[in-house]
Amino acid sequence: MKVRLRMIRIDMLTGEEETLLETEALLNRDRLLYRESETARQSVFFGENIILERHADVSSRTVLIPYRDGTAEVTSEYGTMEMKTRLLAFHKDQFEWSVEYQVLVQDEISLHQKLIWRISPEN
């Protein structure tokens, strides 16, 4: 079904919060699909594992696994880089999905963020 989506990112290292986009999206139970721009699209799958995918000139696939380390793979014209992910918190209800996670490079935190997808019926 078509929905309205507001995506918010909170940098947990700096406390900075920003709205990344407000757009139309498709919601199909555990999957949310939306366009970031004309050339970039994203999907969020919220099942046993949480999978964040971005398809664009720089693509990524982030697998977040409850209570275990997961992986983040970033692919660009320069090759593919793989990193470890750590899911710290997650939430899913009818109107909001969220994840808080870290990306680690050589066991050092390179990213610690919270992503929030606010979902509302399309008017």
Side-chain angles (χ1 to χ4, degrees):
M1 98 173 118
K2 284 188 177 180
V3 296
R4 293 291 308 162
L5 175 68
R6 182 172 186 220
M7 184 181 178
I8 300 163
R9 176 186 178 271
I10 303 171
D11 183 321
M12 302 303 283
L13 299 174
T14 65
E16 213 174 293
E17 180 176 325
E18 64 181 319
T19 298
L20 295 179
L21 71 116
E22 293 188 49
T23 189
E24 292 180 339
L26 292 175
L27 175 62
N28 185 0
R29 283 197 224 197
D30 297 328
R31 185 177 304 277
L32 189 58
L33 303 166
Y34 55 95
R35 288 201 170 277
E36 176 185 322
S37 68
E38 285 293 319
T39 58
R41 66 186 195 284
Q42 295 191 24
S43 72
V44 179
F45 177 74
F46 226 107
E48 186 175 316
N49 296 332
I50 300 165
I51 301 171
L52 315 176
E53 290 185 295
R54 179 177 190 268
H55 300 279
D57 54 339
V58 175
S59 295
S60 64
R61 178 180 166 88
T62 303
V63 179
L64 303 169
I65 304 170
Y67 317 111
R68 289 190 22 226
D69 288 343
T71 59
E73 190 175 275
V74 178
T75 304
S76 72
E77 65 182 272
Y78 302 106
T80 300
M81 180 170 60
E82 191 169 307
M83 297 158 284
K84 183 168 38 172
T85 62
R86 186 164 294 144
L87 180 61
L88 302 174
F90 59 97
H91 170 80
K92 179 184 178 212
D93 66 32
Q94 181 180 359
F95 300 109
E96 185 174 289
W97 297 5
S98 67
V99 292
E100 180 182 343
Y101 69 98
Q102 298 171 335
V103 174
L104 298 100
V105 177
Q106 298 177 354
D107 291 325
E108 294 289 322
I109 298 170
S110 67
L111 175 74
H112 182 176
Q113 69 181 1
K114 181 173 186 176
L115 298 176
I116 303 165
W117 297 269
R118 294 212 171 116
I119 302 163
S120 58
E122 190 175 62
N123 294 335

